[in-house]
Amino acid sequence: MSERVITPRSRGFLFLDSHPAGCERLVQDMWQAAPSPTHVPDDAPVALVVGSSAGYGLAATIAGLARTGIRGIGVCFEKAPTERRTATAGWYRTAATAELARRHGQEMVFLNGDAFSDEMKEQVADLLRQRFGRLDHLIYSVAAPRRTDPETGATYASVLKPIGEAYRTKTLVFDGDGTPEVKEVETPPAEEDDIEQTVAVMGGTDWERWVDHLADRGLLADGFTTAALSYIGSPLTDGIYRQGTIGAAKSHLEATARALDERLDKLVGGRAVTSVNGAAVTQSSTAIPGIALYVGLLRGALGEAMVPPIAQLADLWDQLTGVRPLDTDEDGRVRLDGWELNSAVQAAVTERWESATTETITRLADLDWFRAEVQRLYGFAVPGIDYTAPTAAQVPWPDAAS
């Protein structure tokens, strides 16, 4: 198997390659950082994580394995390595997660394909029936630019736009030399069917189809619980996020949760919730105007007090599995973002936001941390990795039969 030195090449926050060894170490570090199990059930719960290779979905997968002792299936959509390019980072993270699960004697199968398709839903249903029996938990964590409706064949595209009027905000960019700049950008408002398209991709429609598909085949265990991972965020980013097209999709997701919760209670004594997570650097969030600046300032204000995704998702698993009671707000949402939206924290971040300029940003935001977090999304800047050493990029997808 040929090896080569893999160096980071990027266009803004988007990296063109990823580092297999860095991705592997990142997964190992997340596993080690997961809180130790407080209770190991006699029968490991069966879980399905849709969107298991990145962001909060990856954290949900690793926290479920390391803390809760789950077994089951992860679904994601990643690109394999080629002769010229590495695989996507999620490919390598999945391979590393599967290997750790195997070492710990846990049966976790990973399927690579379109989670929106009925073919993938049927493949998962068949695998559940053959190897696991029934499903105890479903975590839904999908962020995608487009979705094809399997019933109509129509393809919808999501957009990041405000609703009603243009939105102007500060944002953080880095020039070719890595020098930070704070500037203002304006995003035009949603037009025509932008809102409907975004809701069709990122709302609750596909989550509901997953639950319905598995319920129709009698695969939901008594007491089945499902959670869709979501985000609300700060008033500083409301205009582009919660009050924008993505916010409309999140509202649809929450309405779907309420409808599913009522149906599942009658069907199997189950529950459906949205889980509102706190801020983190993810491949999806770096594309949203203002979010990079906000997260860098949040880290500047909080430092190590920021709660990492692995800890947040360990908390969610504790609630879903009954280690502690399911704690929801008046809208039926599990809130894992209290540390972020604390009034004192938001006041501190707002003060920094208002003072943020190109000249002041390096003392107001933790940019070293932010830059490293972006690189770590692709397996770079991970402590303990020798990036001058040749590395094998041709890492195979985990064998479902093993």
Side-chain angles (χ1 to χ4, degrees):
M1 183 177 293
S2 61
E3 297 184 345
R4 62 183 177 91
V5 175
I6 301 171
T7 56
R9 297 180 298 138
S10 65
R11 297 172 184 158
F13 295 134
L14 177 64
F15 280 64
L16 305 180
D17 282 314
S18 54
H19 199 283
C23 291
E24 180 181 10
R25 176 63 64 85
L26 182 68
V27 166
Q28 293 171 352
D29 290 347
M30 290 177 68
W31 191 296
Q32 291 297 320
S36 300
T38 55
H39 170 69
V40 179
D42 294 332
D43 294 319
V46 177
L48 167 64
V49 182
V50 183
S52 59
S53 62
Y56 279 102
L58 175 68
T61 304
I62 296 174
L65 287 164
R67 179 168 175 80
T68 308
I70 63 169
R71 56 197 178 102
I73 304 169
V75 175
C76 53
F77 193 27
E78 300 295 343
K79 292 183 179 179
T82 66
E83 289 299 319
R84 297 182 57 195
R85 298 286 295 273
T86 70
T88 50
W91 179 284
Y92 297 129
R93 289 190 296 255
T94 299
T97 305
E99 175 59 19
L100 276 175
R102 186 193 65 79
R103 289 183 198 170
H104 287 81
Q106 292 168 257
E107 186 179 13
M108 196 73 190
V109 180
F110 291 94
L111 302 177
N112 189 24
D114 181 6
F116 294 133
S117 71
D118 282 352
E119 289 78 11
M120 178 57 75
K121 293 176 177 64
E122 191 58 28
Q123 187 178 353
V124 168
D126 289 343
L127 189 57
L128 279 170
R129 185 182 301 108
Q130 294 163 10
R131 293 178 62 165
F132 300 102
R134 293 191 175 186
L135 185 67
D136 297 299
H137 309 288
L138 189 162
I139 303 291
Y140 187 83
S141 179
V142 178
R146 60 188 58 83
R147 166 179 172 264
T148 298
D149 187 316
E151 289 188 354
T152 66
T155 297
Y156 302 97
S158 61
V159 295
L160 293 165
K161 290 184 178 180
I163 294 174
E165 59 184 17
Y167 176 70
R168 192 167 183 82
T169 186
K170 290 181 177 180
T171 196
L172 175 65
V173 297
F174 295 92
D175 66 17
D177 297 323
T179 303
E181 180 185 0
V182 176
K183 63 180 184 179
E184 287 200 346
V185 295
E186 183 172 291
T187 306
E191 300 175 334
E192 300 177 349
D193 62 348
D194 282 343
I195 299 172
E196 291 78 9
Q197 292 252 348
T198 305
V199 169
V201 177
M202 302 190 69
T205 301
D206 186 63
W207 179 30
E208 185 173 24
R209 286 182 68 85
W210 271 103
V211 174
D212 287 346
H213 195 95
L214 299 173
D216 290 346
R217 283 150 184 78
L219 292 170
L220 303 185
D222 291 342
F224 166 82
T225 63
T226 182
L229 307 188
S230 187
Y231 181 68
I232 289 178
S234 168
L236 292 168
T237 59
D238 253 3
I240 194 66
Y241 199 86
R242 192 64 193 190
Q243 300 303 319
T245 53
I246 298 298
K250 298 299 184 184
S251 294
H252 186 272
L253 194 72
E254 292 166 7
T256 302
R258 291 189 290 270
L260 282 175
D261 190 56
E262 184 176 337
R263 287 163 48 196
L264 288 171
D265 178 49
K266 296 175 181 176
L267 182 65
V268 291
R271 292 295 309 271
V273 296
T274 52
S275 173
V276 182
N277 307 303
V281 179
T282 67
Q283 285 161 281
S284 300
S285 68
T286 54
I288 304 173
I291 294 292
L293 175 62
Y294 168 75
V295 176
L297 294 171
L298 179 66
R299 174 72 182 195
L302 282 177
E304 295 294 331
M306 276 190 76
V307 181
I310 194 72
Q312 295 180 47
L313 271 297
D315 185 355
L316 177 62
W317 277 115
D318 283 356
Q319 295 188 50
L320 294 178
T321 57
V323 171
R324 66 186 187 86
L326 196 61
D327 184 15
T328 59
D329 65 11
E330 64 276 9
D331 294 314
R333 304 172 297 197
V334 175
R335 300 302 295 269
L336 305 177
D337 59 347
W339 59 272
E340 177 190 350
L341 297 189
N342 174 283
S343 58
V345 171
Q346 284 299 305
V349 178
T350 299
E351 183 178 355
R352 289 169 183 251
W353 178 282
E354 292 172 348
S355 302
T357 64
T358 299
E359 292 70 34
T360 63
I361 189 61
T362 55
R363 66 176 176 82
L364 296 174
D366 190 341
L367 296 186
D368 289 340
W369 170 86
F370 179 81
R371 273 187 288 242
E373 284 294 290
V374 172
Q375 292 183 69
R376 280 192 280 270
L377 294 174
Y378 300 89
F380 298 103
V382 178
I385 299 299
D386 180 2
Y387 290 99
T388 66
T391 303
Q394 297 295 325
V395 174
W397 188 259
D399 184 0
S402 61

